[in-house]
Amino acid sequence: MFDLNHFISEYVTKRQKSMFLNDIENKREEISKKIKDKSVLVIGGAGSIGSSFIKAILPYEPKSLVVADINENALAELTRDLRSTPGMYVPKEYMPYPMDYSSCVFEKMFRANKGFDIVANFSAHKHVRSEKDVYSIEALLRNNVLNVKAFLELLAQFPPEEYFCVSTDKAANPVNIMGASKRIMEDLIFSYSHLFPVKTARFANVAFSNGSLPSGFLKRISSMQPISAPSDVKRYFVSPEESGQICMLSCILGKNREIFFPKLGVEQMTTFDAIAVNLIREYGYGIQYCSSDSEALEQVKYIAESGKYPVHFEKADTSGEKAFEEFFVEGEKIDSTRFQSLGVITDKQASDAEDIDALLNRLETLFARENIEKADIVDALGEYLNNFVHLETGKSLDGKM
């Protein structure tokens, strides 16, 4: 029987246990003091990272847990999973809400609770493929930036003890709009750091997370469809369990305006085609290398006869696809001694609220225009982020299998 967690530890992360276990054990008493009997709000908590964060904090027995997520089905499954896990602590005051955190009904709920002690926001457009045209880009920027601003205004009225908003490694020297949006998000939350503590984390790809390419491999195999992947894109990976743990450590142990990242070396990178090959072999097939998507689609009919699974691997040529990953940039101060498994970007200054507001107002003005183009948005982001060089090829991942 195929064991996904075993596959991840054997072929993807190449770690038999979480890289954060020692740090969690060493800080267990401090973590417990900050979580036990506290009220917790998790936005986007039904997703891969948000649900892992919830599982990381529940053993410390918070008083209450409210989870908001627009994916009603995933929220129901999260509840079933929590209730069905032996030994899992679920507080009596547990409420999963299928709602958008930018909606009026969410604000009503938040005000009725008079805020929360610990707030973690995982609601985000996280895929490079989310960037297509002006409409998809507006949706991305509203979710990752503009809605965050509105939520921060609400938090300012009910300041939490800890506020965490997830970032991404792609925020370091971004080459796509998704990465740029999360870099701006970092500045945005830091601009409220005089009102309550704010923290974030840049981390690697989460192995087999919802909507990820490796997760797609599983769906392709279950449907007997060919697999396509880039052959030259190297990525760092953490397990789903590790993704929740790094966010928990950042949220609970991070100091104001700190950014956490995993201590991973370049030797721990892997490629998507390597994951695909190992996965196919784990399912008992050989590999049928094809030169195009169309050839791979044609070869599907011969899988049973040949015992080989059709794949098409090629170099990445789509917009915003960075060939490598990095967690910090030149000039950022790094503390590499506080944790065994985590680096921390420290001494970040509170961002200039006027500069951020000027950018957000400019974006709202652009979105109100009928003749807006993608280049207009890229220009606005580039004027704010001096290091933002958008990688445009004119090709989208949606044009591939």
Side-chain angles (χ1 to χ4, degrees):
M1 181 177 177
F2 178 71
D3 184 333
L4 180 57
N5 289 329
H6 173 76
F7 179 85
I8 290 172
S9 65
E10 188 73 19
Y11 296 106
V12 185
T13 65
K14 300 179 175 64
R15 294 184 289 276
Q16 299 308 308
K17 63 178 184 178
S18 167
M19 65 183 290
F20 306 119
L21 286 184
N22 288 341
D23 282 316
I24 291 173
E25 187 57 37
N26 292 339
K27 304 286 186 179
R28 185 169 298 278
E29 185 176 347
E30 184 179 353
I31 294 170
S32 181
K33 286 181 179 179
K34 291 195 171 187
I35 297 178
K36 188 173 178 60
D37 295 328
K38 297 298 177 64
S39 59
V40 179
L41 168 66
V42 183
I43 299 167
S48 299
I49 306 172
S51 60
S52 295
F53 173 84
I54 288 170
K55 292 174 184 177
I57 65 170
L58 283 181
Y60 300 98
E61 301 184 355
K63 177 185 69 176
S64 64
L65 172 63
V66 171
V67 185
D69 198 295
I70 60 173
N71 190 329
E72 185 179 10
N73 293 337
L75 201 59
E77 179 54 32
L78 168 68
T79 301
R80 296 187 190 107
D81 185 21
L82 295 178
R83 298 291 189 192
S84 304
T85 301
M88 178 65 72
Y89 172 83
V90 181
K92 289 182 180 180
E93 298 178 45
Y94 166 66
M95 185 61 70
Y97 285 118
M99 61 175 67
D100 186 336
Y101 84 104
S102 65
S103 66
C104 60
V105 67
F106 174 89
E107 182 175 345
K108 288 180 182 178
M109 179 276 295
F110 189 93
R111 290 184 180 280
N113 281 276
K114 295 181 171 59
F116 298 84
D117 298 321
I118 300 170
V119 178
N121 185 1
F122 296 92
S123 177
H125 282 61
K126 63 178 184 177
H127 294 292
V128 176
R129 71 164 61 228
S130 295
E131 173 190 330
K132 302 176 181 69
D133 57 10
V134 293
Y135 309 111
S136 59
I137 292 171
E138 179 177 350
L140 183 158
L141 288 170
R142 286 197 179 282
N143 192 24
N144 290 4
V145 181
L146 295 169
N147 291 349
V148 173
K149 166 70 173 179
F151 181 52
L152 288 166
E153 287 292 310
L154 183 60
L155 283 178
Q157 300 174 50
F158 304 92
E161 294 178 12
E162 317 288 352
Y163 175 65
F164 174 86
C165 192
V166 69
S167 188
T168 171
D169 55 279
K170 295 173 180 64
N173 289 323
V175 298
N176 52 65
I177 292 176
M178 188 279 289
S181 74
K182 299 304 281 185
R183 177 64 186 83
I184 294 165
M185 180 279 298
E186 292 177 0
D187 284 357
L188 176 57
I189 64 173
F190 290 162
S191 72
Y192 283 77
S193 60
H194 62 294
L195 299 174
F196 46 84
V198 295
K199 307 93 174 281
T200 187
R202 298 173 184 168
F203 58 91
N205 291 42
V206 181
F208 292 88
S209 62
N210 295 337
S212 67
L213 185 55
S215 175
F217 295 160
L218 293 174
K219 296 183 184 300
R220 302 290 74 72
I221 293 174
S222 68
S223 301
M224 298 301 285
Q225 296 172 334
I227 284 178
S228 176
S231 59
D232 59 335
V233 174
K234 291 186 176 182
R235 293 288 182 260
Y236 294 106
F237 282 89
V238 294
S239 70
E241 177 189 33
E242 288 173 330
S243 73
Q245 290 171 340
I246 187 174
C247 294
M248 184 269 287
L249 288 166
S250 175
C251 177
I252 303 304
L253 300 182
K255 299 175 184 177
N256 198 11
R257 296 194 303 276
E258 287 190 335
I259 304 173
F260 279 45
F261 63 89
K263 290 181 183 176
L264 294 171
V266 293
E267 72 281 357
Q268 293 168 285
M269 283 186 171
T270 190
T271 57
F272 290 104
D273 61 326
I275 294 173
V277 166
N278 285 320
L279 186 64
I280 290 168
R281 288 175 175 160
E282 194 76 3
Y283 272 86
Y285 297 106
I287 311 297
Q288 176 67 53
Y289 292 97
C290 302
S291 60
S292 65
D293 284 0
S294 58
E295 181 186 349
L297 284 163
E298 177 65 22
Q299 291 297 318
V300 164
K301 65 181 72 171
Y302 304 113
I303 293 177
E305 177 184 336
S306 67
K308 292 185 176 181
Y309 210 92
V311 300
H312 175 220
F313 302 144
E314 63 178 345
K315 292 184 177 181
D317 62 353
T318 52
S319 295
E321 197 65 73
K322 200 171 184 178
F324 61 94
E325 291 182 320
E326 54 193 331
F327 296 115
F328 53 88
V329 299
E330 185 177 352
E332 290 181 325
K333 185 176 179 180
I334 309 301
D335 181 346
S336 59
T337 61
R338 197 191 316 173
F339 299 94
Q340 293 181 23
S341 59
L342 290 161
V344 187
I345 301 172
T346 64
D347 291 347
K348 298 291 285 188
Q349 299 302 306
S351 306
D352 190 316
E354 290 187 4
D355 289 345
I356 297 172
D357 286 345
L359 170 64
L360 302 192
N361 290 335
R362 182 176 177 184
L363 289 174
E364 289 285 15
T365 300
L366 287 172
F367 295 151
R369 282 171 33 187
E370 292 185 2
N371 60 342
I372 180 177
E373 296 182 358
K374 181 177 178 179
D376 298 324
I377 303 172
V378 171
D379 287 345
L381 300 181
E383 287 185 21
Y384 179 81
L385 296 174
N386 294 327
N387 66 334
F388 180 47
V389 179
H390 185 259
L391 180 59
E392 180 63 64
T393 68
K395 297 181 179 180
S396 168
L397 283 170
D398 288 338
K400 300 179 181 291
M401 287 195 302

